Amino acid sequence: MPIITLQELKKVFRLKQKAPGLRGSFRALLRPEYQTVEAVKGISLEMEQGELLAFIGPNGAGKSTTIKMLTGILYPSSGEASVLGYIPWQQRRELSYHIGSIFGQKPQLWYHLPPIDTFELFAHLYELEPSAFRQRRDFLVEAFSLEELLHVPVRKLSLGQRMRCEVAASLLHRPRILFLDEPTIGLDVVAKQKLREAIKLLHEQEKLTIFLTSHDVGDVEALCRRVIVINHGQVIFDDTTSALKRRFLHKKIISVRFGQPVPEDFSVKNATLLKRGEWGVKIELDTRVRPVDNLIQAIMNYAPVMDINVEDPPMEDVIREIYAVEETIHLKEPVR
Amino acid sequence: MQRLNKELRFIGHLIKLGLAGLMEYRASFLMQAVGMFINNGVYLVFWMLFFDRFKDVKGYQLEQIFLLFGFVALGFGIAYTFAGNAGRLAEFIAQGRLDYYLTLPRPVLPHVLFSRMGSFSVGDLTFGLMMYFFVGKFDLLSPILYLVCAVLAAVIFVSFSVITGCLAFYFGNASFVHMQLQNTMITFSLYPIGLFQGTIRLILFTLIPAAFVGAVPVEIVQTRSPELLLGMIGVAIFSVLLMTFVFQVGLRRYESGSALHVNL
């Protein structure tokens, strides 16, 4: 039975329009003009208990607006939604006991105080029994490796450390669903990895349902089994992560630094040489045409390799490709 | 009743945390508090010089001015020390900073208001208390009456600030108007009410209730009128109800935002 159901959920914002320059400002002051923007254009979806869902799309696609309606922050313009049987914007308070949320750009920890103080505040906030709170806190401290951080003022923590504390704080009351809006934004590779591992552990141990938005393909690959892509407020793709990878994540960017100047006869077959420097090259590879290991082997035959980096293309590129396909085949319904 | 008790305990915890936050920066806290204390003192010196030359202003002598100052400073001090976010509500709404509070299971308005303690207003609070030692009476009832009136004034200060801050739900960036209206309230409350007649006087008892945070408490303490005290309690209750209503209605128009934030 689905625990999240959305039916034709819409959100319309009225935006004030202004022509450029001072003249435009005066005109807008005297005769304001408004434009209606449909941030979310009738999204319908269902989500089961224990699912790990990535809800992705380019900037302005309507991801955060959807999450905000699902957590009761925003009222929709029309449509219906049910989260754990509650209508979020009408039963926000009842729902909040059962969900946790992290907005990567909006911290919830008290900035000048150590995380332990916010944890205790949350224990009061969610009316947790002292012994249950202590037990849960200790578990999360271990799961997120927070022993060293608990008593350090938040302002002195690194962004990665802070985010681990943020996620732990949002799990203190044992929510059934965790909404994560860009949880890894601004984190370095190691911090991202630590955070993903901790979230994954919590999912495995507690069957936590996760609704994730991210611009990082790594988050989606590491955490989620299902992906929904939205663009311009509409669902344009809804399938498994492996299907997404199979269909769209087939390009890799490979950066190579040689131990000597790039050989003059260096060339790559069935791949595109994006950049050629004195000591290194950048190559785009379509893995459907040629496997990564095969290309790397060929590169290593040219000269000793000092460093090699294989990256996914930016999420924006992936989305653009999905959107292009969606427009080409004129999908009326999202692919499932 | 049990619910109310829980909410009050939670607010108590927020205040404790706010105080701990202030203590993190002791030097800055002390400088701001002392600075505000001196600022108030300078204003009083002006009045002392004034009353050196004139006998009274519309029935107010130096004693009443001291009392008026005491009430406004103590009311303002209590309001903005404990409900430290009251003066920043318009900014919170315009920048989408209510998101955090909306995802948590507590009434949004008290949670926002008490999530920060104002350091500068501690100076006002201390100043307001100190004024009583200059002009107050030291029988059993007078100090209690002084404190009760100051608390009621604080409630009215916070309510006015919230109601005007809610303009941001309708006009977007209303931070400047919010600040100006708060300043207007303080400015008018610091003068003898007899100076204002007609429409302005009506405004000071209704739209900008400056009379209720200064002149009316002075009248209550001096006349010990139970009717006046009951009237002021009624105004405080009404202002809390109005503040709650305006905020709840405005919240339906809340549009959130994508600004980067830090919660204090």
Side-chain angles (χ1 to χ4, degrees):
Chain A
M1 193 183 158
I3 57 167
I4 296 181
T5 313
L6 273 70
Q7 279 186 325
E8 287 298 313
L9 199 67
K10 281 187 188 174
K11 181 68 187 178
V12 178
F13 290 108
R14 206 169 73 121
L15 298 181
K16 197 174 177 182
Q17 296 297 296
K18 184 189 96 61
L22 189 62
R23 203 171 156 187
S25 299
F26 275 117
R27 195 182 299 162
L29 195 68
L30 298 171
R31 290 175 60 189
E33 287 173 15
Y34 293 92
Q35 189 194 359
T36 303
V37 174
E38 275 190 282
V40 176
K41 295 178 186 170
I43 286 184
S44 301
L45 64 92
E46 286 184 350
M47 201 175 161
E48 302 289 334
Q49 173 79 47
E51 255 195 286
L52 283 154
L53 171 75
F55 193 67
I56 59 175
N59 287 330
K63 307 181 297 288
S64 296
T65 305
T66 306
I67 279 205
K68 283 171 185 172
M69 288 191 280
L70 291 180
T71 49
I73 292 173
L74 290 178
Y75 283 75
S77 303
S78 66
E80 290 172 18
S82 163
V83 179
L84 296 166
Y86 298 104
I87 299 170
W89 50 92
Q90 285 176 6
Q91 295 161 294
R92 183 181 54 76
R93 195 166 167 175
E94 294 89 334
L95 175 65
S96 61
Y97 282 102
H98 307 288
I99 62 168
S101 51
I102 293 290
F103 295 94
Q105 302 170 349
K106 298 181 180 181
Q108 52 188 344
L109 298 171
W110 283 49
Y111 188 63
H112 302 296
L113 299 174
I116 185 76
D117 285 338
T118 306
F119 284 14
E120 278 169 16
L121 175 74
F122 274 34
H124 279 82
L125 219 147
Y126 289 106
E127 298 164 39
L128 305 178
E129 288 295 327
S131 59
F133 160 64
R134 279 194 294 275
Q135 198 184 359
R136 180 67 173 167
R137 181 198 61 197
D138 294 346
F139 166 72
L140 291 169
V141 164
E142 202 184 327
F144 286 85
S145 312
L146 307 178
E147 297 87 350
E148 311 282 312
L149 317 176
L150 266 189
H151 300 278
V152 180
V154 173
R155 67 178 186 277
K156 291 184 179 169
L157 298 178
S158 71
L159 188 58
Q161 292 170 333
R162 207 203 74 208
M163 279 313 293
R164 293 207 318 267
C165 295
E166 293 273 357
V167 178
S170 68
L171 292 168
L172 277 169
H173 60 296
R174 296 176 185 272
R176 287 176 62 194
I177 306 174
L178 185 61
F179 290 95
L180 296 165
D181 189 4
E182 306 280 7
T184 56
I185 194 164
L187 303 192
D188 63 36
V189 180
V190 179
K192 276 180 188 173
Q193 191 56 30
K194 278 187 175 176
L195 189 61
R196 286 171 192 156
E197 280 168 9
I199 292 171
K200 209 165 183 175
L201 177 81
L202 261 291
H203 164 74
E204 280 161 10
Q205 292 202 349
E206 302 185 352
K207 289 281 159 250
L208 185 67
T209 305
I210 293 175
F211 191 104
L212 167 87
T213 77
S214 179
H215 276 96
D216 192 322
V217 181
D219 288 345
V220 178
E221 285 186 295
L223 290 171
C224 301
R225 291 190 198 117
R226 181 182 164 200
V227 183
I228 289 180
V229 181
I230 64 164
N231 200 3
H232 302 305
Q234 285 177 309
V235 174
I236 60 168
F237 179 91
D238 183 353
D239 208 330
T240 58
T241 312
S242 53
L244 178 84
K245 280 164 83 172
R246 220 171 29 245
R247 291 183 55 185
F248 299 104
L249 275 179
H250 40 70
K251 279 189 182 154
K252 299 281 174 192
I253 307 293
I254 301 170
S255 306
V256 185
R257 196 164 67 85
F258 292 106
Q260 61 182 60
V262 180
E264 279 185 16
D265 61 339
F266 182 85
S267 68
V268 281
K269 283 181 187 166
N270 297 326
T272 312
L273 188 61
L274 296 176
K275 195 176 167 188
R276 182 190 178 116
E278 196 185 339
W279 292 80
V281 291
K282 195 176 220 181
I283 300 159
E284 185 184 82
L285 173 71
D286 187 332
T287 53
R288 291 172 301 182
V289 178
R290 187 176 185 181
V292 177
D293 62 340
N294 183 280
L295 180 73
I296 291 175
Q297 192 58 55
I299 290 168
M300 290 170 82
N301 288 339
Y302 272 103
V305 170
M306 299 302 287
D307 192 13
I308 191 159
N309 192 14
V310 182
E311 291 172 285
D312 286 310
M315 182 52 99
E316 266 67 17
D317 290 356
V318 179
I319 306 292
R320 207 174 298 130
E321 192 169 343
I322 295 169
Y323 197 55
V325 172
E326 192 258 350
E327 280 192 328
T328 312
I329 59 176
H330 298 291
L331 288 177
K332 293 281 184 207
E333 294 295 322
V335 185
R336 184 81 219 259
Chain B
M1 202 62 202
Q2 201 187 1
R3 185 80 251 166
L4 181 69
N5 200 20
K6 274 183 184 171
E7 299 304 349
L8 289 176
R9 277 217 310 267
F10 176 65
I11 288 172
H13 195 82
L14 280 177
I15 290 171
K16 266 200 300 197
L17 221 52
L19 200 58
L22 279 187
M23 293 301 124
E24 280 288 306
Y25 301 95
R26 274 165 295 183
S28 160
F29 162 64
L30 284 173
M31 276 165 66
Q32 287 190 61
V34 171
M36 196 49 75
F37 194 90
I38 293 169
N39 184 44
N40 290 343
V42 169
Y43 212 64
L44 271 190
V45 170
F46 161 77
W47 278 109
M48 286 161 82
L49 293 172
F50 179 88
F51 281 109
D52 246 4
R53 297 195 58 187
F54 303 97
K55 252 185 146 181
D56 68 86
V57 182
K58 296 284 179 185
Y60 270 55
Q61 292 173 342
L62 192 58
E63 189 192 331
Q64 281 82 27
I65 288 288
F66 270 45
L67 208 50
L68 185 72
F69 245 78
F71 273 121
V72 176
L74 188 54
F76 180 88
I78 293 170
Y80 291 90
T81 298
F82 295 104
N85 277 335
R88 303 163 80 199
L89 191 64
E91 189 186 318
F92 270 50
I93 295 165
Q95 294 182 358
R97 296 179 68 171
L98 297 185
D99 289 9
Y100 162 71
Y101 304 96
L102 282 163
T103 55
L104 298 172
R106 293 288 169 172
V108 180
L109 187 55
H111 193 174
V112 175
L113 292 177
F114 295 104
S115 282
R116 179 177 171 270
M117 283 188 91
S119 48
F120 66 92
S121 46
V122 176
D124 292 302
L125 198 151
T126 321
F127 190 85
L129 286 173
M130 204 188 74
M131 290 310 293
Y132 190 78
F133 291 97
F134 285 122
V135 288
K137 292 178 182 139
F138 290 91
D139 53 73
L140 195 63
L141 187 65
S142 295
I144 295 171
L145 206 54
Y146 185 76
L147 279 177
V148 168
C149 286
V151 169
L152 293 172
V155 170
I156 294 166
F157 261 124
V158 171
S159 304
F160 180 72
S161 188
V162 168
I163 292 165
T164 50
C166 284
L167 289 173
F169 283 126
Y170 301 90
F171 305 124
N173 189 6
S175 306
F176 183 71
V177 179
H178 186 210
M179 194 180 73
Q180 286 300 321
L181 285 168
Q182 288 178 87
N183 288 340
T184 306
M185 170 103 157
I186 295 164
T187 306
F188 279 103
S189 65
L190 289 172
Y191 289 95
I193 193 71
L195 289 173
F196 308 108
Q197 299 299 327
T199 312
I200 295 181
R201 194 181 173 94
L202 182 69
I203 289 172
L204 297 183
F205 276 94
T206 50
L207 290 177
I208 303 171
F212 290 105
V213 296
V216 175
V218 170
E219 195 74 16
I220 291 172
V221 167
Q222 293 209 316
T223 61
R224 297 197 175 190
S225 156
E227 292 84 8
L228 217 48
L229 180 62
L230 280 173
M232 182 139 168
I233 291 171
V235 169
I237 292 171
F238 175 75
S239 61
V240 169
L241 294 175
L242 186 65
M243 157 183 88
T244 311
F245 174 75
V246 170
F247 184 78
Q248 289 304 328
V249 170
L251 206 52
R252 289 187 66 95
R253 298 176 58 96
Y254 178 61
E255 290 193 343
S256 185
S258 57
L260 289 161
H261 307 139
V262 171
N263 288 315
L264 298 174

